[in-house]
Amino acid sequence: MQISKRLQQLNPSATIAMTEKARELKAQGKDVISLSIGEPDFDTPDFIKQAANKAMEEGYNSYSPVPGYLDLREAICEKFKRDNDLTYSPNQIVVSTGAKHSIYNVFQTILNPGDEVIIPAPYWVSYVDMAQLAGGVSKIINTTIENDFKITPEQLEKAIGEKTKAFIFSSPCNPSGSVYTRQELEALAEVFAKHKEVIILSDEIYEHICYGQRPVSIASIESVYDQTVTINGLSKSFAMTGWRIGYLGAPEAIAKGVSKLQGQITSGTNCIAQRAAITACKANPKEIQFMVDAFSKRRDLVLKMVAEIPGFKCNEPKGAFYLFPDVSACLGKTYQGVEVKDSDDLAMYLLEKANVATVGGVSFGSPGCLRISYATSEDKLIEAFARIKAALS
Ligand code: PMP
Ligand code: GLU
């Protein structure tokens, strides 16, 4: 049985692949510490679970409207206004099965074969493959650790060409943790505003997980509001990864396209999760501050520990829950006759030798860096870093 050429060309998600590998090893009895997947280790807050229970009791069992319940879309509009200074109407909102699904839907909606999508590296692993599935071609802008893994307006201007249709980035960034300031976004917006044909996909899934200045939504800069799709979801902020709720705010034509696509593919997403999402969107962000405080403490801890590993060089993440050290000083060495060429090889080495699962940087567009998730307990982090240090020495 042959699978389609389209799928043969698709790479498996590196984050998911490493997480599954770690799970398998654990099932075999190995004491693996997984710092691979980006998933809060907290339970979903009780008040959200109660909202889901109530929805079940009230008999929410049927298909929902394809773009999501109207009162959920209204709650999302309120949330966008409250947290992001963004004005959307419910017909500009589509709720999907996770932010991953929202991004996929947008690419399917806007890309024609051969259209270029500009992606700053390092990028979240799924952007390139999702663009490719929609016929798009990725054009990567490389960044440096010295520039905190951010692009400059000059780089952006140079990358935009005749075929450019879209640009996608995350701030806070998975994997680098970098957060663009308002000033930096304004400088990029100035470039975009000269190229109104370029659609900006702003992935803001880590919005609430930040350790200083709150991230700014690029769509709140007036000159680019009408060319931006703002993507968000509940997975990270509310520890609801398995509930699968993502959403977007977009120009109406794009929202309509996404909804048409969804009507043929998934229909409206899970109705119980949608009802609970209303409660989450209306909640005061202070309700989740305890998780952000814990991530902040862990960030300080892992930053201290990573500085003690010879050969690892790290920026200071301002958001999300990942470290993305440059490990190139550890590459090019040989272990049991096998060369550790890139950080994917190093991740495999650390898994075998230290029983610590991380994710190599190749799929993030940075083969010299390694992604380490610190969304786990301090005890496990301390043990994992001690193991990594020992394995590398
Ligand atoms: N964007 C980024 C940058 C992510 O790290 C993730 C992973 N959770 C997603 C989007 C997708 O999130 P979800 O589908 O769980 O909403
Ligand atoms: N986004 C998370 C990560 O980067 C979850 C896994 C995934 O969907 O890729 O680890």
Side-chain angles (χ1 to χ4, degrees):
M1 179 75 77
Q2 280 282 315
I3 61 164
S4 68
K5 291 205 178 89
R6 200 173 56 252
L7 275 213
Q8 285 177 40
Q9 284 163 5
L10 187 75
N11 296 302
S13 158
T15 48
I16 305 269
M18 197 52 155
T19 304
E20 278 172 5
K21 205 167 188 94
R23 252 186 224 143
E24 258 169 47
L25 291 172
K26 272 190 207 168
Q28 288 165 17
K30 278 207 168 171
D31 170 28
V32 173
I33 301 178
S34 181
L35 308 184
S36 53
I37 199 149
E39 168 158 70
D41 55 328
F42 295 99
D43 195 7
T44 303
D46 274 344
F47 70 97
I48 296 175
K49 288 192 207 165
Q50 281 157 14
N53 280 332
K54 188 161 168 270
M56 279 189 272
E57 279 159 17
E58 285 175 352
Y60 279 94
N61 302 306
S62 321
Y63 289 130
S64 75
V66 172
Y69 289 114
L70 177 61
D71 49 353
L72 172 55
R73 284 180 288 134
E74 284 168 348
I76 291 168
C77 291
E78 282 167 33
K79 175 256 162 312
F80 272 138
K81 190 85 215 149
R82 181 193 66 203
D83 297 339
N84 314 100
D85 194 23
L86 288 173
T87 306
Y88 288 116
S89 56
N91 55 359
Q92 293 178 278
I93 307 291
V94 183
V95 183
S96 299
T97 306
K100 205 174 214 175
H101 187 209
S102 303
I103 298 166
Y104 174 85
N105 282 344
V106 176
F107 281 150
Q108 290 290 336
T109 300
I110 63 173
L111 295 181
N112 285 311
D115 282 348
E116 270 175 14
V117 180
I118 298 178
I119 310 180
Y123 43 75
W124 180 45
V125 291
S126 296
Y127 295 158
V128 170
D129 290 277
M130 289 203 272
Q132 181 189 308
L133 262 186
V137 178
S138 302
K139 192 168 190 179
I140 307 301
I141 305 181
N142 287 311
T143 62
T144 59
I145 193 168
E146 288 73 27
N147 202 33
D148 195 20
F149 295 111
K150 293 177 191 172
I151 60 162
T152 62
E154 293 73 30
Q155 282 180 299
L156 177 64
E157 183 78 69
K158 220 169 123 199
I160 295 177
E162 258 176 29
K163 292 189 176 161
T164 307
K165 185 63 196 262
F167 170 88
I168 183 165
F169 77 125
S170 60
S171 172
C173 174
N174 175 3
S176 68
S178 308
V179 177
Y180 283 83
T181 63
R182 173 173 289 280
Q183 216 178 6
E184 287 163 341
L185 289 178
E186 278 171 353
L188 296 180
E190 224 174 277
V191 178
F192 285 122
K194 286 192 278 177
H195 299 275
K196 295 306 281 184
E197 70 288 358
V198 179
I199 296 160
I200 307 164
L201 278 76
S202 177
D203 180 349
E204 302 180 6
I205 188 98
Y206 294 98
E207 170 192 10
H208 290 297
I209 302 168
C210 63
Y211 313 116
Q213 255 186 353
R214 263 191 63 71
V216 172
S217 294
I218 191 165
S220 68
I221 300 166
E222 213 182 321
S223 59
V224 294
Y225 170 78
D226 59 354
Q227 68 190 103
T228 303
V229 180
T230 307
I231 290 155
N232 211 322
L234 302 181
S235 287
K236 314 290 171 171
S237 316
F238 289 90
M240 292 174 71
T241 47
W243 295 63
R244 310 308 300 130
I245 294 282
Y247 56 84
L248 57 78
E252 206 180 326
I254 295 179
K256 248 181 150 171
V258 167
S259 193
K260 178 163 107 174
L261 176 66
Q262 215 163 257
Q264 286 284 30
I265 312 293
T266 53
S267 297
T269 192
N270 179 291
C271 63
I272 306 297
Q274 281 195 58
R275 301 311 300 169
I278 297 175
T279 300
C281 288
K282 287 189 170 171
N284 187 326
K286 281 195 183 132
E287 298 272 5
I288 51 171
Q289 191 57 39
F290 74 99
M291 295 193 243
V292 181
D293 290 344
F295 289 133
S296 175
K297 224 170 131 220
R298 293 171 191 177
R299 180 198 66 154
D300 295 346
L301 172 70
V302 290
L303 267 176
K304 228 188 280 158
M305 294 192 293
V306 82
E308 285 162 13
I309 299 182
F312 279 27
K313 191 168 92 182
C314 206
N315 65 321
E316 184 187 292
K318 307 283 192 306
F321 32 59
Y322 309 103
L323 289 187
F324 199 56
D326 181 330
V327 296
S328 34
C330 301
L331 306 179
K333 303 191 175 162
T334 301
Y335 170 66
Q336 289 182 346
V338 181
E339 192 192 348
V340 177
K341 292 182 300 301
D342 55 31
S343 58
D344 281 9
D345 292 346
L346 188 69
M348 286 317 295
Y349 170 76
L350 290 177
L351 184 62
E352 276 166 33
K353 183 88 177 155
N355 277 339
V356 176
T358 55
V359 188
V362 175
S363 315
F364 295 92
S366 298
C369 296
L370 184 75
R371 197 189 75 169
I372 303 173
S373 163
Y374 53 87
T376 194
S377 71
E378 289 183 26
D379 286 351
K380 279 193 185 155
L381 289 169
I382 291 168
E383 170 67 18
F385 274 80
R387 289 187 195 178
I388 293 175
K389 198 172 171 187
L392 291 176
S393 68

